[in-house]
Amino acid sequence: MTGEALVVWTVRVALGLLTVGFVGRRLRFERLARGCWAAGAAAMGAHLAAAFAVEHDWSHAAAVRATTRRTKALTGIDWGGGVWINYLFAAVWAADAAWWLAAPRGHAARPRWLDVGVGAFLGFIAVNGAIVFESGPTRWAGVACCAAIAAAGCVRPQSAAAEPGVTPASDRSPPG
């Protein structure tokens, strides 16, 4: 596999696993979802490492310059801060995956605003990374993944069994 293919395929795998993780959690396939969520976060880390090794020669400054050029070409805005947003995306996803692996009950019991906030942030960045800033097969895969996530977000399954002792945040009533 070439370096460029490694960069492309690690992000495709990460997006696929993010999708399976989100949809699986929504449909209450907790173990599958948790494993895919963690593997996806790891694939995202591999993608960042591959991109830095192959495209930026391990230089943060080079990554900022490349991001600035790409952002300006697409939006007309001369800004390289997307690199920092990608770091934050990877860190939030990794932290969330680690929490879910280490303490599934605590993760499931977190406040709804946190659950929705993490999902919304990761989803927003995934849409931008996989659709807005991509083209060709990756964009179409991104559209399919984001559509699956959006559809799963609109479904409230009644018959799927939750992991014993774990109450998903989406099933808890708001306080008061």
Side-chain angles (χ1 to χ4, degrees):
M1 179 179 285
T2 68
E4 186 176 311
L6 183 63
V7 172
V8 170
W9 279 102
T10 51
V11 79
R12 287 178 181 169
V13 167
L15 179 63
L17 290 166
L18 180 137
T19 303
V20 174
F22 182 87
V23 172
R25 180 173 180 224
R26 194 74 187 127
L27 298 178
R28 299 188 181 147
F29 294 108
E30 290 291 320
R31 284 179 176 76
L32 171 68
R34 188 171 49 245
C36 287
W37 197 251
M44 186 63 198
H47 168 69
L48 289 175
F52 267 88
V54 172
E55 296 178 1
H56 309 302
D57 198 29
W58 295 105
S59 168
H60 171 75
V64 170
R65 285 191 300 275
T67 301
T68 301
R69 281 192 304 274
R70 194 160 182 206
T71 302
K72 186 168 185 173
L74 185 66
T75 67
I77 299 169
D78 190 22
W79 187 64
V83 169
W84 292 101
I85 293 171
N86 283 331
Y87 296 159
L88 182 61
F89 174 80
V92 167
W93 191 359
D96 191 60
W99 183 7
W100 198 2
L101 286 172
R105 285 184 174 88
H107 185 269
R110 67 186 174 174
R112 183 155 172 77
W113 66 265
L114 181 58
D115 192 49
V116 170
V118 168
F121 173 70
L122 296 179
F124 177 76
I125 301 307
V127 164
N128 279 282
I131 298 172
V132 176
F133 281 87
E134 280 298 335
S135 61
T138 301
R139 177 179 280 168
W140 289 110
V143 168
C145 288
C146 291
I149 289 168
C154 294
V155 172
R156 183 177 174 92
Q158 299 299 320
S159 60
E163 187 171 324
V166 177
T167 304
S170 60
D171 286 355
R172 291 191 309 276
S173 301

